[in-house]
Amino acid sequence: MLLGLACLTQSAGANDSVPSMAILGAVENVHIMEEDFVLEARMDTGATSSSLNALNKERFEKDGEDWIRFEVVDPEDEEARITLERPIERIVRIRRHSGESQERPVVRMEFCIGNQLLTADTSLIDRTALTYQALIGRSHMAGHILVDSGAEHLQAPDCSADDQ
């Protein structure tokens, strides 16, 4: 009896140090903070990193660094585009399911997902043939988000300046 009570006490104490994680659905709206717009994204625990739809990619130099300018489809008007610019962190080679490899530029992106403001490396790829413009991988979610695979749109993005 005492052993059971000791184990229960240890378990309760261990949970006190575990950070609170948001429970989100397999599809959520994510707020791209710098440009201030919201995209629908697939929350993919099977993907290591995140990726973002990037059209008309153009590399350039700014202040001695490699940068990239690209466009995403405006979620309010499919015929319009929103232009983003970011420094290139690195170039990655991704091996696709077909066995082909592909090089992708990687940039740091800050997303508000639920009440979580998260920054992580994000690869840029043309995702127009896919359902969602953004795929959020484990690099953004680890330690912050749990995914309920049977749910969608559980929390709207809410990272107000007061919370930061």
Side-chain angles (χ1 to χ4, degrees):
M1 170 100 166
L2 287 176
L3 181 61
L5 185 57
C7 288
L8 183 61
T9 305
Q10 281 183 334
S11 294
N15 287 338
D16 292 342
S17 64
V18 175
S20 175
M21 292 199 280
I23 298 175
L24 300 174
V27 176
E28 291 291 342
N29 288 329
V30 299
H31 185 183
I32 297 180
M33 300 301 288
E34 189 172 332
E35 288 78 12
D36 193 26
F37 66 95
V38 175
L39 293 176
E40 195 172 44
R42 173 102 169 106
M43 308 297 285
D44 188 347
T45 60
T48 302
S49 59
S50 300
S51 64
L52 182 65
N53 189 29
L55 308 172
N56 303 317
K57 296 183 290 268
E58 178 186 342
R59 292 175 71 162
F60 64 98
E61 190 173 308
K62 180 177 177 180
D63 299 327
E65 294 183 341
D66 288 329
W67 280 61
I68 191 163
R69 180 179 299 115
F70 59 98
E71 297 175 341
V72 297
V73 176
D74 186 333
E76 303 291 321
D77 177 3
E78 288 187 17
E79 301 301 316
R81 303 289 182 260
I82 299 171
T83 301
L84 293 83
E85 292 183 353
R86 297 286 189 285
I88 297 174
E89 297 294 321
R90 67 185 187 285
I91 303 293
V92 295
R93 183 176 302 275
I94 304 291
R95 182 165 304 180
R96 304 186 53 108
H97 294 291
S98 65
E100 298 173 14
S101 64
Q102 176 182 69
E103 288 189 350
R104 297 182 188 176
V106 174
V107 298
R108 301 283 288 167
M109 294 293 299
E110 182 178 59
F111 295 128
C112 175
I113 309 169
N115 64 355
Q116 306 288 318
L117 186 61
L118 305 170
T119 303
D121 286 352
T122 304
S123 67
L124 303 178
I125 183 69
D126 183 342
R127 294 181 55 85
T128 53
L130 301 172
T131 305
Y132 304 103
Q133 287 200 76
L135 180 138
I136 306 300
R138 293 188 309 268
S139 61
H140 268 103
M141 294 188 280
H144 304 281
I145 295 172
L146 297 173
V147 177
D148 179 345
S149 63
E152 294 184 357
H153 301 288
L154 293 180
Q155 289 188 36
D158 183 20
C159 298
S160 63
D162 296 340
D163 295 340
Q164 307 312 309

